[in-house]
Amino acid sequence: MSLPAAGRLALWTALGVLAGLLLTLTIPRLLGKPVLVVLTGSMEPAVATGDVVIESRISPLEAKVGDVVTFRDPERPDRLITHRVRRVRTKADEISFTTKGDANNTAETWKIPRHGGIGRVEYRVPKLGYVVAWISGPAARLLLVVIPALLLGFFELRRIWFPKESHESA
């Protein structure tokens, strides 16, 4: 049983899109670049909720006004914030930043040691974060195992119950 041409085209297109998304997430990680999902709209319209941002790790001394950087929240160190640099001041062994989300009304000031590291956003992939969040959930992980197992079982049963007839010449 073969698929019609339109079905094959749809299948190959879906596989191509899936491979592209997988490469978009995997290659930067293999190169040591953080891949983060944006959870809030504080940087809209430049970076929207659900976007994936790919970053380069930089020294705080490399950050310039206008860069979009990711840093640890000074009030909650377990949380990362991605905002635009508004001002940079260097003092002895410490760099002081003023950053602000493009959609926010207030700015935040934070400090980092001169030898520390922050992330600078290189590019974003719109809305891919929704897919990443879904795949990271327990239901999706289960489906990603169960569906292929069921398909494999179905095709094996079909092969056993309906073997291809051999055509022998008489």
Side-chain angles (χ1 to χ4, degrees), residues 18-29:
L18 184 62
L21 293 175
L22 186 63
L23 288 173
T24 300
L25 294 173
T26 306
I27 290 175
R29 287 184 183 184

Side-chain angles (χ1 to χ4, degrees), residues 125-141:
V125 183
K127 307 302 178 199
L128 183 59
Y130 292 119
V131 175
V132 172
W134 182 79
I135 288 174
S136 299
R141 287 186 182 179

Side-chain angles (χ1 to χ4, degrees), residues 43-161:
M43 281 299 298
E44 288 185 358
V47 180
T49 304
D51 289 355
V52 168
V53 293
I54 289 66
E55 301 185 333
S56 288
R57 298 295 295 169
I58 62 169
S59 160
L61 293 170
E62 294 176 59
K64 295 175 181 40
V65 172
D67 286 348
V68 177
V69 297
T70 299
F71 56 94
R72 295 220 172 268
D73 184 340
E75 295 173 8
R76 291 179 41 202
D78 61 321
R79 185 174 154 222
L80 295 174
I81 297 175
T82 301
H83 282 170
R84 192 174 306 279
V85 175
R86 300 293 180 182
R87 184 173 58 198
V88 182
R89 289 193 178 167
T90 306
K91 238 195 255 186
D93 288 341
E94 195 171 71
I95 312 292
S96 175
F97 285 92
T98 300
T99 53
K100 180 178 169 290
D102 292 353
N104 288 358
N105 293 326
T106 59
E108 57 274 335
T109 300
W110 49 280
K111 297 176 183 178
I112 187 167
R114 181 184 289 258
H115 61 274
I118 58 175
R120 178 171 44 209
V121 174
E122 284 188 13
Y123 61 94
R124 71 182 180 94
V125 183
K127 307 302 178 199
L128 183 59
Y130 292 119
V131 175
V132 172
W134 182 79
I135 288 174
S136 299
R141 287 186 182 179
L142 181 64
L143 285 175
L144 291 173
V145 171
V146 170
I147 289 175
L150 289 174
L151 285 171
L152 180 63
F154 168 77
F155 287 118
E156 276 302 304
L157 287 173
R158 190 177 82 171
R159 187 182 62 81
I160 292 168
W161 290 340

